[in-house]
Amino acid sequence: MKPSTTRKFGRADLDVTSFAFGTAPIGNIFRPIDEETSDQMIQAAWDSGVRFYDTAPMYGHGLAELRTGHSLRWKNRDDFVLSSKVGRRLKPKRRSEIDFAPWNNAAANELIFDYTYDGTMRAFEDSLQRMALERMDICFIHDIDVFTRGADQPEVFKQAMDGTWKALAQLRDEGVVKAIGVGVNEWEVCHEALKQRDFDCFLLAGRYTLLEQESLDAFLPLCEERNAAVIIGGGFNSGILATGAIEGAKYNYAPAPEPILAKVRGIEAVCREFNVPLPAAAMQFVVAHPAIPSFVAGTRTVEQLQKNLEWFSHPIPTEFWAALKSKGLLREDAPTPA
């Protein structure tokens, strides 16, 4: 599959490229990226045919939205799809008073959770002003999961299903956005949101990867039934499916435990047999599912971006997927590339 291949975005009146540019890194997560590199990556993605860009107020306390808008501002607005998120408002504040972790040299804004109707409308308008673009096409409710909110998650989820949902549904009804959804780290939260409300789409960080397919049990079948699109970010499980089972490999932001390392070693053995790069298999597996039109990848350098694009296009024989299944390394019911 080519990164520039366009696919229908669920039931929404949108076509998206199968590779999407994720902007968390240009929000300076963990370490800074300079303005020139940020712009060069977005222009390189554009030159490679990528036309789907995902950002959020959280990324760099507004920095990623500022940089995304800067790099896309003079493109024909009808030529690309843009998604951002609500659930946090940004308030200017002295840098010395802001806890930026895990962002580095971010914008001078405080992050404030807000899932009310009024707060959502304000956050939506603020994002458009930061980007200086006339619209976003897709808007996700951000981080209403246990991973982010801990013990407060049930109450936060309820607030979002009332206040934020009402605001986004109104914006969709008015034609201001074409698709609304939820962006979280847990498929179970997406599943519950889809059961409760009429969402068009989801952005799921991991949870459907070469290492994790539990979402095939209930969530992804419901998405197919409802024609809801799912975008997968974090498809490398935060590192190990890109690096392989090396010493210090990360799995879901922590050192990979031995059972995960052993499984990845098994996948790597099949990769060597068929001359398939592990990251290529990780990326292409995700978008083989009929409910998943795009894989979102964030990169730190133009070279890293180009490598991702190469992996996404790398030829993989169908026998490779059959071998993974025969060795018990992949669920039998997992869709694989044709």
Side-chain angles (χ1 to χ4, degrees), residues 175-186:
V176 178
V177 293
K178 292 186 176 182
I180 61 175
V182 171
V184 292
N185 294 274
E186 296 142 10

Side-chain angles (χ1 to χ4, degrees), residues 163-175 177 180 198:
T164 313
W165 157 260
K166 181 180 178 182
L168 291 187
Q170 179 179 326
L171 291 172
R172 181 180 61 183
D173 290 345
E174 294 173 352
V177 293
I180 61 175
D198 187 27

Side-chain angles (χ1 to χ4, degrees), residues 183-212:
V184 292
N185 294 274
E186 296 142 10
W187 68 263
E188 295 90 343
V189 175
C190 295
H191 190 211
E192 185 60 31
L194 187 55
K195 289 192 290 184
Q196 291 193 24
R197 298 289 187 269
D198 187 27
F199 286 108
D200 304 296
C201 54
F202 299 90
L203 195 158
L204 188 56
R207 310 294 80 75
Y208 185 69
T209 70
L210 275 181
L211 293 174
E212 299 181 49

Side-chain angles (χ1 to χ4, degrees), residues 32-288:
I33 291 174
D34 60 49
E35 301 285 347
E36 183 179 8
T37 300
S38 171
D39 184 60
Q40 286 175 345
M41 284 194 294
I42 291 179
Q43 302 310 330
W46 184 275
D47 292 343
S48 298
V50 174
R51 295 294 184 270
F52 187 9
Y53 299 83
D54 175 71
T55 190
M58 175 198 180
Y59 303 159
H61 294 229
L63 181 62
E65 286 188 324
L66 289 164
R67 287 175 160 179
T68 299
H70 170 79
S71 295
L72 295 177
R73 193 162 302 140
W74 305 116
K75 309 293 188 189
N76 184 328
R77 184 59 192 85
D78 293 333
D79 287 348
F80 64 92
V81 172
L82 176 68
S83 62
S84 192
K85 306 175 183 74
V86 290
R88 291 176 177 86
R89 289 185 294 105
L90 304 188
K91 182 179 179 181
K93 195 171 184 178
R94 291 178 182 271
R95 287 185 171 275
S96 60
E97 299 173 2
I98 301 172
D99 178 7
F100 284 113
W103 311 96
N104 190 299
N105 197 24
N109 297 305
E110 178 185 19
L111 296 175
I112 302 169
F113 283 113
D114 192 335
Y115 297 98
T116 65
Y117 172 90
D118 290 342
T120 298
M121 289 298 196
R122 171 67 183 273
F124 184 86
E125 289 290 335
D126 287 351
S127 285
L128 293 181
Q129 290 187 29
R130 273 189 295 275
M131 293 185 285
L133 296 169
E134 70 248 42
R135 72 175 189 271
M136 68 178 80
D137 303 287
I138 304 163
C139 191
F140 297 103
I141 305 174
H142 204 189
D143 286 347
I144 52 173
D145 50 18
V146 177
F147 178 84
T148 307
R149 304 311 303 273
D152 294 334
Q153 191 271 339
E155 180 58 30
V156 169
F157 183 86
K158 183 179 184 304
Q159 291 172 0
M161 291 303 102
D162 294 334
T164 313
W165 157 260
K166 181 180 178 182
L168 291 187
Q170 179 179 326
L171 291 172
R172 181 180 61 183
D173 290 345
E174 294 173 352
V176 178
V177 293
K178 292 186 176 182
I180 61 175
V182 171
V184 292
N185 294 274
E186 296 142 10
W187 68 263
E188 295 90 343
V189 175
C190 295
H191 190 211
E192 185 60 31
L194 187 55
K195 289 192 290 184
Q196 291 193 24
R197 298 289 187 269
D198 187 27
F199 286 108
D200 304 296
C201 54
F202 299 90
L203 195 158
L204 188 56
R207 310 294 80 75
Y208 185 69
T209 70
L210 275 181
L211 293 174
E212 299 181 49
Q213 294 112 49
E214 292 86 355
S215 53
L216 284 171
D217 293 336
F219 171 56
L220 287 172
L222 183 60
C223 288
E224 289 188 83
E225 179 185 326
R226 300 272 288 273
N227 200 13
V230 181
I231 310 164
I232 297 293
F236 298 137
N237 278 119
S238 82
I240 193 167
L241 289 177
T243 65
I246 62 173
E247 183 177 353
K250 292 291 191 296
Y251 170 71
N252 294 345
Y253 311 105
E258 181 53 37
I260 293 296
L261 290 168
K263 185 171 184 178
V264 173
R265 290 187 197 106
I267 296 172
E268 287 184 286
V270 180
C271 286
R272 287 191 295 271
E273 180 183 349
F274 289 91
N275 195 28
V276 172
L278 175 63
M283 299 174 91
Q284 294 183 41
F285 167 72
V286 167
V287 292

